[in-house]
Amino acid sequence: MDQIINKLSVIDFSFILIIVAKILLLVVLYQVVKKYKPAWLMPVRVLACVMIMRVILFENPLAWYIYNHTLDPEVVGWRQSSVLYDNFNQFKSNQEVEFLAVGSSQTGAIYDVSVDSVASKLQVKSLAGLGPVDLYMYRENIVESNPENVLLFLSEFDMGRYPSLEAIKLSPNLGLKFPEIFMRIREDFPGDETNNILKEMFFGEIFPEYKYSYIFKGYLDQFTGKQVVMPNLESQVDDDNYFENQLSQLKVAVQEENLEINFRYLNDFISYLSDHDINVLVIEGQYHPFGYSNKNLALQEKVRSQLTDLQAQYSNLTYVPKTETIIFTIDDYDDAYHVNKQAAAKFTRSVINSLDKFGTGTH
């Protein structure tokens, strides 16, 4: 019961006013059509049913809370599952937060908001696989969270991977800015696959039923016994092979040719936050010590150099090398990417307590 009360206490109930406004609009529309155009009553009734179903399915925090707690991430997908939780968070009150940590599941793992004195200062926005292109796609959504400072945890693993365009289909609706983003994505990532993804994005902008169809498919798969329709490697191999595969991915997925496009989107993200007077603290990312190859280390130097150059370009940006934070050891990791709870608590205290030393946005 206490957990439910805590969840309710942070909800911004202004969404109810929007729902009431829609109901009143439907009532007025129905009465006008009934009086002057009775032949149009059936389309109005259909419109009313669609709007009511969307309110029930998508336009309230309870729906997203239920989806997040009843759908298995291995059934719907890890990014899809994290979007469910993030959509629930969109209904929280946007009170000014001092620090908002944004990033992939690595970011979700390295920050422990339960640490004493941290909960009032720090919030975490973690989406599986989130990269620089996603940061750009979520830029307005992040600004709407009203942070004073945004914390990023970036390494050559983030900047050297090819962007996952499939994930951008689940980004927040773009509205009138869709044509601009459409043209940019198509230009930056030419090809039939991109064109198909953009078509799906377009339909998702208009029809949330299509955008979030994985919710309904997920329930159907769980009901019919397909408990794992998107199994992760961990469920198919033993722990040692799973870990070795993760290490292999760390070395294979990171390529120098991906730096240019990722830094271009990171640059635009930082520029957007600069325009909104939001400071950015980029903390150099880390992963398991066994994941570093000679290629990764060479790429690490290039990433450090470019982040240093960005810091010179933007007064709102502070870059913090890992040597100025806690350097994780082998014992700190649960797998090749994610640290354990003890390491997260240690890292969180270190970062929060050192922010004055880092001088966010004041270099």
Side-chain angles (χ1 to χ4, degrees):
M1 180 61 70
D2 289 342
Q3 184 178 7
I4 294 175
I5 292 174
N6 288 337
K7 293 286 185 182
L8 289 174
S9 66
V10 297
I11 295 297
D12 179 1
F13 287 95
S14 64
F15 75 91
I16 295 177
L17 298 177
I18 298 175
I19 294 174
V20 171
K22 288 184 176 182
I23 292 173
L24 292 176
L25 179 63
L26 281 174
V27 170
V28 171
L29 179 63
Y30 184 84
Q31 294 299 326
V32 170
V33 170
K34 183 178 179 181
K35 182 174 181 179
Y36 297 105
K37 291 286 185 179
W40 293 3
L41 280 177
M42 182 55 68
V44 171
R45 288 175 181 144
V46 172
L47 175 64
C49 289
V50 170
M51 291 180 67
I52 291 170
M53 287 304 298
R54 287 183 176 179
V55 166
I56 294 171
L57 294 173
F58 307 117
E59 297 176 13
N60 69 88
L62 179 60
W64 296 108
Y65 183 85
I66 292 173
Y67 300 150
N68 180 59
H69 283 78
T70 57
L71 284 168
D72 189 335
E74 291 186 7
V75 172
V76 296
W78 290 96
R79 167 58 75 89
Q80 288 84 346
S81 180
S82 54
V83 166
L84 298 178
Y85 181 70
D86 190 63
N87 283 355
F88 167 74
N89 282 336
Q90 301 311 308
F91 288 90
K92 291 183 178 180
S93 301
N94 283 333
Q95 298 175 345
E96 188 172 88
V97 58
E98 192 170 354
F99 302 103
L100 177 66
V102 181
S104 66
S105 57
Q106 268 197 316
T107 295
I110 61 169
Y111 290 106
D112 183 357
V113 295
S114 67
V115 170
D116 293 343
S117 76
V118 169
S120 61
K121 296 182 177 181
L122 174 68
Q123 292 182 15
V124 177
K125 183 183 184 72
S126 169
L127 294 164
L130 185 141
V133 174
D134 298 298
L135 288 174
Y136 180 76
M137 298 295 291
Y138 276 83
R139 66 195 186 285
E140 293 185 2
N141 179 267
I142 291 169
V143 168
E144 288 171 0
S145 298
N146 205 19
E148 293 181 29
N149 306 277
V150 167
L151 310 182
L152 303 179
F153 188 73
L154 298 175
S155 70
E156 62 280 0
F157 180 58
D158 305 281
M159 305 308 297
R161 285 182 298 168
Y162 190 78
S164 173
L165 296 184
E166 277 289 329
I168 69 173
K169 296 186 298 187
L170 300 174
S171 302
N173 279 10
L174 299 168
L176 296 176
K177 294 186 178 178
F178 180 81
E180 174 191 343
I181 300 298
F182 178 96
M183 296 303 295
R184 175 169 185 175
I185 296 295
R186 191 170 68 170
E187 180 180 340
D188 288 342
F189 306 96
D192 291 339
E193 181 182 359
T194 299
N195 290 335
N196 291 333
I197 288 171
L198 290 172
K199 290 174 185 175
E200 291 189 58
M201 280 185 66
F202 174 74
F203 284 110
E205 287 278 318
I206 303 172
F207 304 108
E209 299 85 358
Y210 180 81
K211 183 174 186 174
Y212 299 112
S213 58
Y214 68 86
I215 294 173
F216 316 115
K217 185 178 184 301
Y219 280 123
L220 179 61
D221 287 334
Q222 288 185 175
F223 179 74
T224 56
K226 295 181 182 178
Q227 289 298 310
V228 182
V229 296
M230 296 183 66
N232 61 25
L233 188 65
E234 187 176 15
S235 65
Q236 303 177 67
V237 300
D238 59 47
D239 290 343
D240 289 339
N241 286 333
Y242 172 66
F243 178 66
E244 289 300 323
N245 184 271
Q246 282 191 316
L247 293 179
S248 176
Q249 285 299 310
L250 279 168
K251 298 168 185 176
V252 172
V254 176
Q255 300 294 335
E256 183 175 351
E257 58 262 30
N258 297 327
L259 291 184
E260 191 276 333
I261 190 68
N262 282 321
F263 267 101
R264 194 190 315 165
Y265 278 88
L266 178 63
N267 178 87
D268 291 347
F269 172 72
I270 295 171
S271 176
Y272 186 81
L273 264 57
S274 176
D275 292 341
H276 289 81
D277 298 320
I278 297 173
N279 296 318
V280 182
L281 182 75
V282 177
I283 300 173
E284 182 179 6
Q286 304 175 52
Y287 42 89
H288 197 284
F290 290 171
Y292 291 90
S293 64
N294 289 334
K295 182 184 76 172
N296 290 45
L297 291 172
L299 202 59
Q300 183 181 86
E301 291 304 316
K302 294 181 182 295
V303 170
R304 286 173 174 171
S305 176
Q306 292 197 45
L307 287 173
T308 302
D309 290 343
L310 273 180
Q311 179 176 237
Q313 182 179 348
Y314 291 102
S315 61
N316 69 316
L317 173 63
T318 301
Y319 169 55
V320 181
K322 62 184 177 183
T323 52
E324 295 186 30
T325 61
I326 290 176
I327 297 180
F328 296 121
T329 65
I330 293 172
D331 294 334
D332 289 327
Y333 284 88
D334 277 337
D335 57 28
Y337 312 133
H338 307 104
V339 298
N340 56 42
K341 290 286 288 183
Q342 294 78 13
K346 181 172 61 175
F347 180 84
T348 302
R349 289 192 185 95
S350 172
V351 169
I352 296 300
N353 292 336
S354 301
L355 286 170
D356 288 339
K357 179 186 73 174
F358 295 150
T360 307
T362 62
H363 66 270

